[in-house]
């Protein structure tokens, strides 16, 4: 039986998108897609709107992309919603961004629960305002029994901080005899915030910037990158399919031949 999302998707999607979805599903779909959602501010500026209008539109795009990723059978979708560096923005913008998880999950959570999506988060939760933390905690709690796609929010996330925290924990555990002195890649990965998640197969960044901006530096070692000039609020289902189709034509050799 078709789930709500499949029915929703068929009703809304053009014939072209529906056919492309079928074709994409016939090939290997990336297990983990990670997205650096960039260009919200420029999108707003082009329309003479305040920057936060771009963030709001960007939030709506997350909803659409989550639905499509789930229909496609993606196992993990990570969205970089707030970096450890984003605190440097004007206070009003930070406050607005911190309210978005509440708004997003306030309306979308019931659908995520029904559609078997698990909400997770990477990043330093302790520095988030209480209302942001409770919205994320509630979503994680209500979806914890789900075993379908993981919607992973990178929120107050910074890869260097994550790596340093992991190194410190490794040192402590080694000193306390919990682990030995020989640290392997596999063991180290288990100390990262992504320990329960596969590494991203496909990493997307919008808005024409070609850099990682402190995002998943360890985990992206073998990711395929797809960059687009499209600003995040303009990112559509078609763009996600474009990225996956390019991914499916790539040959991943992991250093081999
Ligand atoms: C970068 O664009 C974007 C961000 C720092 C925030 C991304 C957040 C969202 C898309 C909202 C999603 C939130 C939830 C809870 C689903 P920018 O502001 O740096 O754009 P610019 O480079 O054009 O100025």
């Amino acid at each position: 039986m078709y789930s709500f999302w499949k029915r929703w998707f068929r009703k809304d999607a053009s014939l072209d998108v529906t056919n492309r979805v079928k074709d994409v599903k016939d090939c290997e779909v990336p297990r983990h897609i990670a997205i650096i959602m960039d260009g919200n501010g420029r999108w707003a500026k082009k329309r003479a709107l305040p920057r936060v209008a771009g963030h709001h539109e960007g939030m709506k795009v997350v909803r659409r992309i989550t639905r499509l990723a789930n229909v496609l059978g993606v196992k993990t979708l990570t969205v970089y919603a707030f970096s450890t560096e984003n605190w440097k923005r004007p206070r009003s913008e930070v406050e607005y961004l911190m309210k978005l998880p509440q708004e997003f999950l306030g309306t979308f959570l019931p659908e995520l629960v029904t559609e078997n999506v698990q909400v997770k988060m990477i990043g330093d939760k302790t520095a988030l305002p209480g209302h942001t933390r409770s919205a994320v905690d509630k979503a994680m709690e209500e979806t914890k029994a789900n075993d379908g796609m993981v919607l992973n929010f990178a929120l107050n996330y910074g890869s260097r901080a994550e790596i340093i925290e992991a190194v410190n924990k490794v040192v402590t555990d080694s000193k306390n005899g919990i682990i030995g002195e020989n640290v392997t890649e596999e063991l180290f990965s288990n100390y990262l915030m992504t320990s329960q998640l596969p590494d991203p197969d496909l990493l997307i960044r919008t808005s024409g910037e070609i850099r990682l901006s402190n995002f998943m530096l360890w985990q992206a070692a073998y990711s395929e990158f797809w960059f687009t000039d499209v600003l995040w609020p303009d990112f559509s289902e078609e763009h996600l399919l474009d990225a996956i189709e390019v991914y499916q034509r790539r040959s991943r050799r992991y250093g081999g031949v």
Side-chain angles (χ1 to χ4, degrees), residues 205-219:
R205 183 172 189 150
T206 57
S207 92
E209 309 294 351
I210 317 284
R211 57 176 172 264
L212 277 178
S213 300
N214 204 12
F215 183 59
M216 294 208 168
L217 303 179
W218 171 278
Q219 297 87 340

Side-chain angles (χ1 to χ4, degrees), residues 191-212:
Y191 281 82
L192 294 171
M193 291 166 178
T194 48
S195 61
Q196 303 302 311
L197 305 171
D199 286 342
D201 299 296
L202 173 62
L203 194 148
I204 296 173
R205 183 172 189 150
T206 57
S207 92
E209 309 294 351
I210 317 284
R211 57 176 172 264
L212 277 178

Side-chain angles (χ1 to χ4, degrees), residues 56-158:
H56 197 261
E57 201 57 31
M59 177 193 70
K60 293 198 237 160
V61 174
V62 176
R63 193 155 44 198
R64 294 201 290 271
I65 294 307
T66 302
R67 283 172 170 153
L68 176 57
N70 198 36
V71 167
L72 290 171
V74 171
K75 300 284 179 242
T76 305
L77 175 69
T78 297
V79 288
Y80 201 8
F82 194 89
S83 76
T84 44
E85 288 71 38
N86 287 152
W87 296 107
K88 294 181 205 146
R89 295 185 175 216
R91 197 167 141 179
S92 57
E93 184 173 339
V94 169
E95 280 173 3
Y96 190 88
L97 283 166
M98 286 297 151
K99 282 189 193 139
L100 286 183
Q102 250 169 303
E103 182 175 346
F104 177 84
L105 294 164
T107 53
F108 199 36
L109 184 57
E111 209 175 305
L112 295 171
V113 173
T114 318
E115 292 306 320
N116 198 24
V117 173
Q118 310 167 64
V119 175
K120 293 197 174 172
M121 186 203 134
I122 53 171
D124 178 9
K125 214 194 273 181
T126 59
L128 297 176
H131 60 87
T132 314
R133 213 167 44 226
S134 354
V136 176
D137 281 345
K138 177 171 182 281
M140 285 175 27
E141 179 62 28
E142 286 189 23
T143 60
K144 72 175 181 208
N146 287 354
D147 59 5
M149 187 176 86
V150 170
L151 173 60
N152 181 37
F153 288 99
L155 204 52
N156 192 20
Y157 173 82

